Amino acid sequence: MKANFSKFTYALLALLLFGALSFSAVAANSIKQTTAESIQVSYHRTTIDGVEIFYRAAGPQDAPAIVLLHGFPTSSQMYRELIPRLADKYRVIAPDFPGFGQSAAPSPEQYKYSFEGAANLVDKLLVSLKVDRYALYLMDYGAPVGFQLAVKHPERVSALLVQNGNAYLEGIGAFWDPIKKFWNDDSPANREVQKNSLLTIEATRWQYYEGVKDPTLVSPDAYTLDQAYLDRPGNADIQLAWFYDYQNNLPKYPQWQAYFRKHQPPTLVMWGKNDQIFLVQGAEPYRRDNPKAEIHILDTGHFALETHGPQIARLIKEFLARH
């Protein structure tokens, strides 16, 4: 009787313990899920050096920060899905550069558009938000903006998250040949070539679809919105000012590479291998200057987030968890 009672007692205790553990697991999962589902993106405007800057933000104010810097011809809208995927663990900030998205778009006669100027604006934005340590997500135009920021404040950069963001001549291919002609001759004829080849809806759609294996993953809302911003009166001249200034980034490549070698920032490179704007050959050299750089080549095009958003978010979280 005593032995049977003992076995019954042990069995009952085991059952209660199993139930408690199961309840705890379900409760923990429920809390985690609720946290992810409760993420709300907020939208802000602030004026820096007389220029109104728009930015998106999400995540806990005291969490490690990630700054998302967009490319051409888009804006912070390209991060519309990545922001909530990261904001359960990170404070995420995504500004629009002047002339893009919801930020101010003064004429080139009123404001000097440059990547150096954009880096200074982002720097002052982060100071105003009291963000003094951050990982940088760098895509397309965001790369020269972010690298200049990193060179200026290496102590503030916790990691580089590079997605089709170029810092090596190996990444510059034939796509840039007509733009180089524009750099050498800012004539009305060459300006018209740039407008007709890079600022049309056909060109914008091409950037989103070229090299994409499954076009159903590309949101038509994204490139339609981008084009609506490009088509605003006076915006073509603004974009030409950006194109023209890009030539000043190439001589800075050695400076950025020296930064990689000296500071060895944790670097995650994610590259759409079918990108014709910044060739996949621009990915591997990051490891030449920073041997610990982690490189992932994705079977997609320029806007890799459109087709590989969940995978990129997972790579970022896993990478930052190790660094």
Side-chain angles (χ1 to χ4, degrees):
M1 180 75 175
K2 184 177 181 180
N4 288 339
F5 177 78
S6 179
K7 289 181 180 178
F8 175 78
T9 301
Y10 290 147
L12 180 60
L13 289 173
L15 183 62
L16 291 172
L17 179 60
F18 175 78
L21 291 173
S22 298
F23 176 80
S24 298
V26 170
N29 184 64
S30 177
I31 292 171
K32 181 179 179 181
Q33 188 177 40
T34 300
T35 301
E37 290 177 348
S38 65
I39 291 170
Q40 179 68 55
V41 178
S42 57
Y43 307 90
H44 308 265
R45 299 177 189 275
T46 188
T47 299
I48 299 174
D49 292 345
V51 181
E52 186 178 73
I53 299 296
F54 170 87
Y55 65 95
R56 302 166 194 249
Q61 293 289 301
D62 58 350
I66 303 177
V67 180
L68 310 177
L69 301 179
H70 69 81
F72 168 85
T74 187
S75 63
S76 61
Q77 75 84 16
M78 70 170 284
Y79 297 119
R80 64 196 180 278
E81 294 181 358
L82 183 63
I83 291 173
R85 286 175 174 143
L86 298 178
D88 59 330
K89 293 182 179 295
Y90 299 96
R91 180 184 182 184
V92 186
I93 301 164
D96 289 350
F97 301 145
F100 289 94
Q102 288 289 319
S103 284
S107 71
E109 289 75 27
Q110 298 172 311
Y111 175 79
K112 179 177 172 54
Y113 287 91
S114 72
F115 291 87
E116 182 178 359
N120 289 333
L121 287 177
V122 173
D123 184 15
K124 292 180 179 181
L125 170 66
L126 296 176
V127 169
S128 72
L129 296 176
K130 296 181 171 56
V131 179
D132 57 9
R133 183 78 171 161
Y134 41 80
L136 291 171
Y137 187 109
L138 312 173
M139 188 272 178
D140 189 85
Y141 274 16
V145 173
F147 289 143
Q148 292 188 70
L149 187 59
V151 167
K152 184 178 181 180
H153 299 298
E155 75 286 354
R156 298 182 186 176
V157 178
S158 61
L160 297 176
L161 312 170
V162 182
Q163 187 250 297
N164 295 72
N166 200 56
Y168 294 90
L169 291 177
E170 289 93 326
I172 302 293
F175 171 86
W176 290 89
D177 290 347
I179 302 175
K180 290 177 182 177
K181 292 181 180 179
F182 173 53
W183 293 345
N184 293 327
D185 179 16
D186 182 8
S187 65
N190 281 334
R191 293 175 72 86
E192 284 304 309
V193 168
Q194 300 308 307
K195 290 179 182 179
N196 294 332
S197 61
L198 295 176
L199 301 180
T200 65
I201 184 60
E202 291 79 14
T204 302
R205 281 173 52 88
W206 176 84
Q207 290 196 56
Y208 274 86
Y209 284 113
E210 178 66 19
V212 169
K213 298 301 181 182
D214 184 357
T216 66
L217 298 176
V218 176
S219 169
D221 296 330
Y223 59 77
T224 301
L225 179 59
D226 290 351
Q227 192 62 42
Y229 286 133
L230 289 179
D231 288 342
R232 290 177 294 181
N235 196 262
D237 289 333
I238 291 172
Q239 298 308 322
L240 288 175
W242 279 108
F243 294 161
Y244 194 76
D245 188 69
Y246 197 93
Q247 64 183 301
N248 295 318
N249 294 323
L250 274 63
K252 292 186 174 75
Y253 283 6
Q255 181 185 22
W256 304 344
Q257 295 157 17
Y259 158 77
F260 303 152
R261 290 192 298 272
K262 178 179 179 180
H263 296 280
Q264 300 284 294
T267 300
L268 172 65
V269 178
M270 302 161 288
W271 210 287
K273 71 176 184 179
N274 307 317
D275 188 357
Q276 297 302 305
I277 299 171
F278 292 117
L279 304 178
V280 69
Q281 289 87 339
E284 183 60 33
Y286 280 96
R287 196 144 46 199
R288 184 170 67 213
D289 291 309
N290 187 348
K292 293 182 180 179
E294 184 177 313
I295 299 176
H296 296 265
I297 305 302
L298 309 173
D299 190 7
T300 189
H302 189 60
F303 282 101
L305 272 177
E306 292 293 316
T307 56
H308 289 66
Q311 181 178 346
I312 288 173
R314 185 173 64 253
L315 287 171
I316 291 171
K317 286 186 168 182
E318 291 173 351
F319 180 81
L320 293 180
R322 296 193 300 271
H323 297 86

